[in-house]
């Protein structure tokens, strides 16, 4: 035996007081046989609409008006049941069913386009780039490149206008120019004498090499001593204290940077095997011009100094000449004695080699 709900036509047990589907009271409904019940089939639209109402009624508590004794004795109409079960919120109103294609389109619109694999790959690449720190440049290499570029600009400016220093430069540029000049000349002389020394015995060759190194060191000390003498006179006697010794050396070399190109040019000629009788004359001419520029630069800096002691620059120039002669004699006395001693020892070794 079953009770058929007068509202939705659902089958309920014979002892049920309310419909298990829509919550309608079954107090006045008479139980019927199973064969009679099977004839009652609810429509698809009523089933879908009453199913939503039943879900809401099952989650909510049963109204107290339906549990009263008077409500049990009176039949409840479908309209009254719907008004009691349906909540007042308009957001939970029943929505008519839509076709499957429309629901799929609405879900895709709400969820947005389906994600592709490309954004994930880009995210993985970005994450890998973030995890892998970028390679930092070597600070020593970068500083060397910057120094070389600035020094080249310093050379070009000195060739264009050797008498005018238009901007401040690095304080070590002057020492760099002197070092390049000395090393280039030393390598040129070494290559010229290398072929002659190679045929000599080992002891004589090493003696000649040591004498050559002493000569290079002597020339370097002499050049630094000349710059130091001019700096002492300009700074001490004339009172021009605007520059330190390194800055003064940079400006000094600025006026005679042609000697850098002359020395490098002679080295390239020697390396390429272009040294002959005519080229030797050219090399000595270039070396003489470089030496003359070196001496003229000191005189130029002396006469362009800003004198604050009112000391006459002619007398300052005479004092510079005297100091240079003294320095030259001191260096040559100790330096040449060592060099001449090495040459004498080499001659003795050479003579002994013939005796054997």
């Amino acid at each position: 035996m079953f009770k058929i709900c007068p509202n939705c036509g659902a089958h309920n047990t014979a002892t049920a007081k309310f419909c298990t589907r829509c919550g309608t009271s079954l107090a006045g409904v008479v139980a019927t046989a199973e064969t009679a019940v099977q004839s009652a089939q609810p429509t698809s639209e009523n089933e879908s609409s009453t199913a939503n109402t039943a879900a809401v009624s099952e989650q909510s508590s049963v109204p107290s008006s339906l549990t009263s004794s008077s409500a049990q004795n009176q039949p409840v109409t479908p309209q009254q049941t719907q008004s009691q079960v349906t909540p007042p919120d308009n957001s939970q109103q029943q929505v008519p069913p839509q076709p499957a294609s429309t629901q799929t389109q609405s879900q895709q619109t709400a969820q947005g386009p389906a994600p592709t694999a490309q954004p994930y790959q880009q995210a993985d690449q970005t994450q890998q780039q973030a995890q892998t720190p970028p390679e930092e440049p070597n600070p020593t290499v970068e500083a060397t490149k910057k120094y070389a570029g600035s020094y080249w600009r310093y050379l070009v400016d000195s060739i264009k206008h050797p008498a005018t220093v238009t901007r401040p430069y690095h304080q070590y540029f002057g020492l760099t120019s002197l070092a390049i000049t000395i090393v280039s000349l030393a390598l040129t002389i070494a290559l010229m004498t290398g072929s002659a020394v190679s045929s000599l015995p080992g002891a004589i060759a090493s003696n000649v090499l040591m004498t050559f190194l002493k000569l290079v060191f002597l020339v370097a000390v002499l050049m630094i001593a000349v710059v130091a003498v001019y700096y002492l006179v300009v700074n001490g006697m004339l009172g021009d204290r605007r520059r330190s010794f390194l800055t003064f050396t940079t400006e000094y070399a600025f006026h005679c940077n042609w000697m850098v190109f002359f020395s490098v040019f002679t080295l390239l000629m020697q390396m390429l095997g272009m040294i002959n009788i005519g080229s030797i004359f050219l090399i000595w001419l270039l070396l003489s011009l470089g030496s003359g520029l070196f001496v003229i630069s000191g005189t130029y800096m002396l006469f362009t100094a800003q004198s604050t002691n009112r000391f006459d620059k002619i007398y300052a120039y005479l004092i510079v000449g005297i100091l240079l002669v003294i320095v030259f004699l001191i260096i040559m006395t100790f330096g040449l004695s060592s060099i001449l001693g090495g040459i004498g020892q080499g001659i003795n070794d050479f003579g002994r080699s013939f005796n054997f």
Side-chain angles (χ1 to χ4, degrees):
M1 300 293 290
F2 294 92
K3 287 185 178 181
I4 299 175
C5 178
N7 183 33
C8 63
H11 296 177
N12 299 276
T13 58
T15 59
K17 296 182 179 180
F18 297 94
C19 179
T20 57
R21 179 179 295 179
C22 64
T24 304
S25 177
L26 302 177
V29 178
V30 180
T32 59
E34 182 177 2
T35 56
V37 173
Q38 292 178 355
S39 61
Q41 297 292 336
T43 61
S44 60
E45 293 183 358
N46 290 336
E47 261 185 332
S48 59
S49 61
T50 54
N52 295 331
T53 308
V56 175
S57 62
E58 288 177 358
Q59 296 176 0
S60 60
S61 60
V62 180
S64 59
S65 59
L66 297 178
T67 57
S68 60
S69 59
S70 59
Q72 294 178 0
N73 298 326
Q74 297 179 0
V76 181
T77 61
Q79 292 79 4
Q80 291 177 353
T81 305
Q82 291 180 359
S83 62
Q84 292 175 359
V85 174
T86 303
D89 189 0
N90 294 329
S91 62
Q92 298 182 2
Q93 291 181 356
Q94 184 176 356
V95 180
Q98 297 180 355
S101 60
T102 306
Q103 292 180 359
T104 305
Q105 293 178 0
S106 61
Q107 290 178 358
Q108 292 179 355
T109 304
Q111 295 177 358
T116 59
Q118 184 175 1
Y120 292 103
Q121 295 176 357
Q122 293 178 354
D124 293 340
Q125 294 177 359
T126 305
Q127 186 177 4
Q128 292 177 358
Q129 293 177 359
Q131 293 178 355
T132 305
E135 296 182 359
E136 297 182 357
N138 192 337
T140 304
V141 176
E142 294 298 325
T144 304
K145 291 181 180 179
K146 184 177 180 181
Y147 184 88
S150 302
Y151 179 73
W152 176 252
R153 183 179 180 183
Y154 165 76
L155 288 178
V156 173
D157 292 343
S158 65
I159 298 303
K160 290 181 178 179
H161 303 284
T164 306
V165 181
T166 58
R167 60 175 64 88
Y169 297 99
H170 198 282
Q171 61 180 355
Y172 292 114
F173 282 174
L175 294 178
T176 303
S177 296
L178 297 180
I180 292 175
T181 303
I182 295 170
V183 171
S184 299
L185 293 177
L187 291 176
T188 302
I189 299 173
L191 292 175
M192 292 176 65
T193 58
S195 58
V197 174
S198 60
S199 60
L200 298 176
I204 299 176
S206 61
N207 198 339
V208 173
L209 179 60
M210 185 61 64
T211 302
F212 168 73
L213 294 176
K214 291 179 181 179
L215 181 61
V216 172
F217 178 76
L218 184 65
V219 173
V221 172
L222 183 60
M223 294 180 70
I224 297 298
V226 170
V227 178
V229 167
Y230 276 103
Y231 174 74
L232 291 175
V233 173
V234 171
N235 187 277
M237 294 183 178
L238 299 181
D240 188 358
R241 297 179 176 84
R242 295 174 300 168
R243 300 174 292 257
S244 63
F245 176 72
L246 293 177
T247 306
F248 184 87
T249 305
T250 299
E251 294 188 9
Y252 192 108
F254 184 90
H255 303 307
C256 58
N257 267 336
W258 270 110
M259 65 181 184
V260 177
F261 291 94
F262 292 159
S263 60
V264 173
F265 177 74
T266 56
L267 176 61
L268 291 177
M269 290 183 65
Q270 179 63 41
M271 293 175 64
L272 296 176
M274 300 172 61
I275 302 298
N276 49 36
I277 297 176
S279 61
I280 290 175
F281 175 77
L282 176 62
I283 289 174
W284 282 111
L285 177 61
L286 294 178
L287 293 178
S288 300
L289 289 175
S291 302
L293 284 174
F294 185 74
V295 175
I296 292 173
S297 298
T299 305
Y300 178 79
M301 293 198 68
L302 177 67
F303 282 98
T304 56
Q306 295 181 1
S307 178
T308 59
N309 297 335
R310 296 183 180 181
F311 193 85
D312 194 276
K313 294 182 180 180
I314 297 295
Y315 294 129
Y317 181 70
L318 293 175
I319 293 173
V320 167
I322 296 172
L323 293 176
L324 288 179
V325 171
I326 295 173
V327 170
F328 183 79
L329 290 176
I330 293 173
I331 293 176
M332 289 301 172
T333 300
F334 293 97
L336 286 180
S337 62
S338 178
I339 292 174
L340 292 175
I343 294 175
Q345 184 65 32
I347 293 173
N348 292 332
D349 295 338
F350 185 74
R352 291 174 184 175
S353 63
F354 279 100
N355 292 332
F356 289 109

